[in-house]
Amino acid sequence: MENISSQKLNTEQLTTVLREASKKIAPVWPLENFVAVNPYLGHTDKKFDNVAQELAAAGGIQMTLPSSFYIEKLKNGKIKVDDIAAVLKKRNNKINATAFINSLDHNNEANEVATTVASIADVATQITDKDWSRFIIARVSNWAASYYDNGQAFWVTANKNESPFKSWKAEAEVDRTPELTGLNNFRKIVKSLPNNPIEAAHIALEKLNLSQEELPLYLHKILLRVGGWAAYAARIDWDNELYGGKDGQLIEFLAILICWESSLLESLNNNKLTEKWNDAKEILSLTNIQKELNKQLEQNLILQEAFDMSSQRNIINKFKGQLPLKNSTNEQAKAQAIFCIDVRSEVYRRNLELVDNTIETLGFAGFFAFPLKYVPIGHENGEAQCPVLLKTGPTIMEKISDEKEHQKVLDNRILDRHIGQVWKSFKSGAVTCFSFVSPVGLSYLPKLFTDSFGLTRPVPHPDKIGMLDRFSAMKTIDLNYNPSNNEATGIPIDQQIEMAKNALTAMSLTENFAKFVLIVGHGSTMVNNPHATGYDCGACGGHTGEANAKVVAAVLNNKAVRERLEKQNFLIPENTIFLACLHDTTTDEVSVFNEFDVPSERINELKNLKKSLSLAGHSARTERSIKLITDGKSNIDKSIIGRSKDWAQTRPEWGLAGCSAFVVAPRHRTKDINLEGQSFLHSYDWKKDKTFSILELIMTAPMVVTSWINLQYYGSTVDNKTFGSGNKTLHNVTAGVGVLEGFSGDLRVGLPLQAIHDGEKYQHEPLKLNVIIEAPLEAMNNILEKHKMVRDLCDNGWIYLLAMNEEGKVSHRYNGNLTWEKISSLDAAA
């Protein structure tokens, strides 16, 4: 077997090898726009079971819960014997279901993987009884937190003007910590490496003497060891490539890890270490440990699939079939409310329709087909208000219509920011920090008291920082096109018309407009939660949907836009008013931002509408209170709203916990079904989609994004150590970009335990997404055939694709390779 040196890989070849390893790491976004990411993103081109084997080998990573979880589901009837039998049959496993279940009693914790590949740090730990893996993580994390700092640190030690590898190398050359820990000549060894990361990696790999076959698994192993910072570097590469740039951050980060390994080997200079390393390399191949892993994983993968089947059967049975909706009257509807497809909207939508049956609701991605770059008052840089899969569109400036008031708010915000910077310097200064803790600290006692008892909010709402409430209510947006700035702002009228037409078409809202059409973005309200933006709208880049809702409403209320749309057969009645709204998913309150667009003679209509919104909010809070473990005695509204400003509350809301289905169909298919806040709902009428371009958009964007969300919750549940962020009560924000669990260690990714577990049981159980689409099978096959990424998700078992027929029943299940099987009534009821 040839080693890496005898292959004489050139720079381009080695870069390719490092890039392939790097693509296995999913990106993670910073806390300021913490969006859901599929943690298995770089693996979806492989079968789910095969990835389970690979990750178990590379890092002891779990892709199922322990078998005891599934055994309990068997006992309480959630998983049925027929589910087990169906999975065994599908896998061509000859053991019968009863025998399989009986065997579980003797091996109910088979999920623990004993055999994983080792790195130099792992072997060195065995030889020296010092935890070198932990030491490397701490040193790399310490450098990375400084290098990637986003304004949190008062003193930055890393040279951020250099590339990652050069910056790390410069610091490692003077850092005495490794030598004080026992790594002789470590600085000298690092200094001898080239400044070019690829050349340095080549020399380091020569010292490690790895073969071509051993290299992929080894590189994956060491990346997973510092997987949090690796994921952050992957996010920088993601953004660079999205806007036409090049990758390279993660490749350089990987070069750092390789050099750490080789430098550790050389510094210890231990013959026993070299001998043990040579033994360890023998299993640096999946083929050498696959049989052992199969024994440990197969049972749990079967149980997980049976659990998925039980959930799928449950949702199939909810769709008993309904007749197409018939309009019994030509009377214009009172209101239509377009919500984000988010599962939390399902609860509110259902309750809104119950309290007022004259209101229709629709579901659409929360950026409403308006990918914006939004610049709040007093900010220099805009925020991407669109899914991370997309490039931003027009730049929109926030403003207050009255110029004097606008300038006053702008000056206040700038002053507030300057004072904040001075105050931060005072608190963090080497000398002044002592003054802060003693005499100045006492002045915080009244605020601590009022914050602790919920009388005040511990920190201002991000949208209201530096401004009074009356100014906050006056905020609006500037659509006027201004090409004279360094960056053009506003939207030209022709582009407004095109964006409006595309949005209405994609929403299947091209006729029968109501008197009021509510564009309802969503966001959350909570304090003392580093991951707060993760509860805002993922379709808006981890921000609230307020900006998008305001822009959409302003465009569609524009008379010039309507006149041009009418010429293209988009007739919006003159009395239709679009209202920009925001659904607070923590409190279930809905705000209306542009009440000034409603003429005085229709104020009573608006009041009546707002009353319905208020009643729906109360009903939704009552429903959600059951899962939030309120005491049942206090006022439910007060209790739920109180959680949003309680800085000791670890579970202000459950977010998207429980998400397990995505239904793409007209609303009347789901209107009378309680989907328990576990389903994304996207309005779609395939009969209006002649070319199936809208279906293609849904299957390549919202369907992919909902799978990301589902798999983030899945990964955070089955292996929170790797794909989650641990106990949120131990979190410390680092570099302003992420959290550590405790005072040191790797950057944590994913969701904290409190986001998925209530202390007694899982509030999110690991279930893969069931996507139900009402559309012809041929149309879906054409899209799958055209888009490999989407087909991989379906063919390789990362999501389940189901088809709904014209009767409203789930009729077919996708089996992979563009084939479908018919679902019989017996299958559904099994």
Side-chain angles (χ1 to χ4, degrees):
M1 188 179 293
E2 292 184 306
N3 64 27
I4 195 77
S5 59
S6 64
Q7 295 171 15
K8 296 182 179 179
L9 293 178
N10 59 35
T11 300
E12 184 178 348
Q13 291 170 326
L14 183 54
T15 302
T16 299
V17 172
L18 299 179
R19 178 173 286 112
E20 288 175 354
S22 299
K23 293 302 181 183
K24 295 179 181 179
I25 301 297
V28 63
W29 268 258
L31 295 175
E32 64 183 7
N33 55 332
F34 188 78
V35 296
V37 179
N38 171 12
Y40 314 105
L41 188 61
H43 301 275
T44 53
D45 60 332
K46 303 173 187 173
K47 295 288 185 183
F48 182 90
D49 287 11
N50 293 342
V51 174
Q53 293 174 355
E54 182 176 339
L55 291 179
I61 294 170
Q62 313 302 314
M63 285 183 63
T64 70
L65 286 174
S67 53
S68 56
F69 170 84
Y70 306 101
I71 290 172
E72 184 62 30
K73 295 297 180 184
L74 274 164
K75 289 179 180 177
N76 63 29
K78 175 72 174 179
I79 300 176
K80 299 183 182 299
V81 176
D82 287 344
D83 295 324
I84 300 286
V87 173
L88 291 171
K89 181 180 179 182
K90 179 181 175 183
R91 292 168 175 257
N92 296 317
N93 195 317
K94 295 181 180 179
I95 187 172
N96 66 57
T98 303
F100 175 84
I101 293 170
N102 290 337
S103 71
L104 296 176
D105 295 333
H106 306 289
N107 193 22
N108 65 0
E109 293 299 333
N111 197 47
E112 295 299 324
V113 179
T115 307
T116 60
V117 300
S119 65
I120 285 288
D122 296 326
V123 177
T125 298
Q126 297 172 17
I127 300 298
T128 64
D129 288 330
K130 290 184 178 180
D131 194 343
W132 291 111
S133 181
R134 184 177 179 181
F135 178 74
I136 292 174
I137 293 171
R139 299 315 303 157
V140 172
S141 184
N142 186 64
W143 164 80
S146 180
Y147 184 78
Y148 292 116
D149 181 76
N150 194 26
Q152 178 178 337
F154 188 57
W155 295 317
V156 177
T157 58
N159 187 350
K160 301 176 71 172
N161 295 321
E162 290 285 5
S163 66
F165 185 83
K166 285 184 179 180
S167 175
W168 166 79
K169 187 171 181 288
E171 182 174 301
E173 287 174 4
V174 297
D175 183 7
R176 294 179 179 272
T177 309
E179 290 175 3
L180 292 172
T181 315
L183 298 182
N184 298 325
N185 299 316
F186 185 84
R187 288 177 296 155
K188 184 178 179 181
I189 293 168
V190 171
K191 193 169 185 177
S192 69
L193 293 168
N195 286 330
N196 182 288
I198 305 302
E199 292 175 8
H202 195 288
I203 292 172
L205 289 170
E206 283 185 327
K207 294 176 182 178
L208 296 174
N209 196 31
L210 289 162
S211 71
Q212 184 177 2
E213 184 183 18
E214 295 162 346
L215 200 53
L217 193 55
Y218 169 76
L219 295 176
H220 192 196
K221 165 76 177 182
I222 62 173
L223 274 173
L224 289 172
R225 183 171 62 198
V226 198
W229 286 112
Y232 189 77
R235 195 277 308 174
I236 297 174
D237 284 339
W238 176 285
D239 282 350
N240 287 341
E241 291 179 290
L242 183 64
Y243 289 96
K246 295 181 179 180
D247 63 357
Q249 285 276 327
L250 186 50
I251 290 174
E252 291 202 31
F253 188 82
L254 177 53
I256 292 170
L257 301 181
I258 296 168
C259 290
W260 248 110
E261 285 270 294
S262 70
S263 299
L264 177 66
L265 177 64
E266 191 172 352
S267 293
L268 291 175
N269 192 22
N270 186 310
N271 291 333
K272 190 175 181 182
L273 172 59
T274 303
E275 180 184 337
K276 289 288 186 182
W277 171 238
N278 289 331
D279 292 339
K281 286 192 297 181
E282 292 183 5
I283 63 167
L284 266 173
S285 168
L286 276 177
T287 56
N288 292 339
I289 56 175
Q290 195 169 23
K291 292 181 179 179
E292 180 67 24
L293 288 171
N294 278 342
K295 293 177 184 178
Q296 298 173 320
L297 288 174
E298 186 177 13
Q299 276 192 344
N300 285 54
L301 289 170
I302 290 171
L303 288 168
Q304 176 60 49
E305 189 170 356
F307 188 43
D308 285 332
M309 290 299 101
S310 70
S311 171
Q312 189 176 109
R313 182 184 63 251
N314 181 53
I315 194 166
I316 288 173
N317 284 335
K318 289 189 180 218
F319 292 92
K320 300 296 184 182
Q322 296 139 328
L323 294 174
L325 185 66
K326 294 182 179 179
N327 294 323
S328 57
T329 176
N330 292 323
E331 185 178 346
Q332 187 179 18
K334 169 184 172 180
Q336 292 160 326
I338 305 167
F339 287 82
C340 182
I341 60 176
D342 190 290
V343 297
R344 292 166 291 182
S345 298
E346 188 274 332
V347 178
Y348 189 91
R349 288 175 61 182
R350 177 164 35 82
N351 281 284
L352 178 59
E353 291 167 342
L354 283 172
V355 300
D356 191 337
N357 61 14
T358 64
I359 297 176
E360 303 170 7
T361 72
L362 298 89
F364 191 75
F367 74 116
F368 307 109
F370 274 67
L372 309 173
K373 185 176 181 182
Y374 188 66
V375 186
I377 297 174
H379 288 239
E380 292 182 1
N381 300 313
E383 303 167 341
Q385 295 277 154
C386 61
V388 295
L389 292 168
L390 304 178
K391 293 181 181 180
T392 55
T395 297
I396 302 297
M397 306 294 291
E398 184 179 66
K399 71 169 186 176
I400 291 176
S401 298
D402 186 293
E403 290 187 12
K404 290 183 179 179
E405 300 283 30
H406 178 89
Q407 190 61 45
K408 187 183 296 185
V409 171
L410 177 61
D411 293 341
N412 286 342
R413 275 205 159 171
I414 293 173
L415 178 63
D416 184 80
R417 187 173 300 132
H418 287 163
I419 292 173
Q421 290 171 346
V422 172
W423 189 240
K424 178 183 176 182
S425 298
F426 175 73
K427 291 191 294 182
S428 306
V431 176
T432 53
C433 62
F434 295 102
S435 303
F436 174 77
V437 171
S438 301
V440 178
L442 292 174
S443 66
Y444 274 73
L445 287 176
K447 185 74 162 60
L448 285 171
F449 179 85
T450 55
D451 287 347
S452 298
F453 286 92
L455 302 176
T456 55
R457 182 184 167 95
V459 292
H461 192 282
D463 291 339
K464 297 182 180 180
I465 292 176
M467 68 171 67
L468 300 173
D469 285 345
R470 70 182 183 90
F471 290 130
S472 179
M474 296 164 62
K475 290 189 304 180
T476 182
I477 45 93
D478 187 359
L479 287 182
N480 294 320
Y481 184 60
N482 185 356
S484 61
N485 295 339
N486 294 331
E487 180 180 24
T489 60
I491 311 177
I493 189 66
D494 288 342
Q495 189 176 0
Q496 288 187 40
I497 294 161
E498 190 64 23
M499 293 179 79
K501 183 175 69 174
N502 291 340
L504 292 173
T505 302
M507 293 175 190
S508 297
L509 185 62
T510 57
E511 57 187 357
N512 299 322
F513 291 89
K515 296 176 182 177
F516 291 108
V517 179
L518 284 65
I519 309 296
V520 191
H522 71 90
S524 62
T525 304
M526 57 188 70
V527 293
N528 196 26
N529 183 0
H531 293 97
T533 59
Y535 292 82
D536 288 335
C537 185
C540 298
H543 303 106
T544 74
E546 176 182 338
N548 302 75
K550 286 181 175 179
V551 172
V552 174
V555 168
L556 291 172
N557 284 333
N558 187 334
K559 290 184 179 180
V561 171
R562 289 196 185 189
E563 288 173 0
R564 295 274 292 274
L565 284 175
E566 185 175 352
K567 294 178 181 178
Q568 300 181 44
N569 298 320
F570 286 81
L571 178 59
I572 301 175
E574 188 176 345
N575 69 338
T576 294
I577 300 174
F578 289 84
L579 297 177
C581 306
L582 187 73
H583 172 209
D584 187 327
T585 56
T586 311
T587 64
D588 275 317
E589 297 172 303
V590 171
S591 305
V592 181
F593 296 114
N594 61 330
E595 294 186 26
F596 50 80
D597 282 335
V598 180
S600 57
E601 64 270 18
R602 296 185 62 184
I603 290 299
N604 287 335
E605 290 181 48
L606 179 62
K607 286 182 179 179
N608 184 264
L609 175 60
K610 291 173 70 175
K611 182 179 179 181
S612 296
L613 295 174
S614 178
L615 290 172
H618 173 73
S619 297
R621 286 190 289 272
T622 302
E623 180 177 331
R624 290 197 304 114
S625 68
I626 299 170
K627 287 187 176 181
L628 287 171
I629 321 177
T630 56
D631 58 22
K633 298 177 183 178
S634 58
N635 182 287
I636 288 175
D637 293 327
K638 185 178 179 180
S639 175
I640 296 295
I641 294 172
R643 297 172 79 94
S644 70
K645 56 183 178 179
D646 181 356
W647 63 355
Q649 181 54 252
T650 58
R651 301 176 180 93
E653 63 159 283
W654 280 118
L656 295 101
C659 61
S660 59
F662 178 32
V663 182
V664 182
R667 174 55 174 162
H668 65 269
R669 299 297 192 196
T670 56
K671 188 172 182 179
D672 297 324
I673 300 174
N674 183 353
L675 293 169
E676 303 173 39
Q678 297 178 350
S679 180
F680 302 94
L681 297 178
H682 198 301
S683 298
Y684 173 68
D685 186 347
W686 69 267
K687 293 179 180 178
K688 295 181 180 180
D689 187 16
K690 303 301 181 185
T691 63
F692 295 108
S693 58
I694 298 173
L695 178 62
E696 182 175 5
L697 181 65
I698 293 171
M699 291 181 68
T700 55
M703 190 170 98
V704 174
V705 172
T706 53
S707 77
W708 278 25
I709 296 168
N710 170 262
L711 288 168
Q712 183 191 56
Y713 273 85
Y714 183 99
S716 297
T717 302
V718 296
D719 194 336
N720 195 268
K721 181 180 178 182
T722 303
F723 295 126
S725 57
N727 187 341
K728 68 159 57 175
T729 63
L730 302 178
H731 284 173
N732 282 304
V733 176
T734 183
V737 300
V739 297
L740 305 180
E741 189 181 14
F743 71 94
S744 184
D746 189 21
L747 188 74
R748 299 306 304 268
V749 300
L751 303 164
L753 286 167
Q754 286 86 349
I756 56 175
H757 199 282
D758 64 14
E760 296 181 0
K761 63 182 183 298
Y762 287 104
Q763 284 294 328
H764 181 85
E765 295 180 332
L767 291 166
K768 283 178 276 182
L769 191 69
N770 290 298
V771 180
I772 301 172
I773 302 178
E774 183 179 350
L777 302 184
E778 184 181 359
M780 287 189 276
N781 273 354
N782 289 338
I783 294 166
L784 292 173
E785 196 167 16
K786 183 178 177 182
H787 298 278
K788 183 180 184 300
M789 178 186 68
V790 180
R791 184 174 174 180
D792 282 345
L793 288 172
C794 302
D795 279 14
N796 295 328
W798 298 96
I799 63 176
Y800 298 105
L801 182 58
L802 305 163
M804 181 184 291
N805 62 20
E806 294 189 52
E807 296 176 357
K809 295 180 179 179
V810 181
S811 58
H812 289 80
R813 179 188 292 112
Y814 182 74
N815 271 345
N817 199 27
L818 305 180
T819 63
W820 299 76
E821 67 171 329
K822 190 172 179 60
I823 299 174
S824 69
S825 56
L826 291 176
D827 292 333

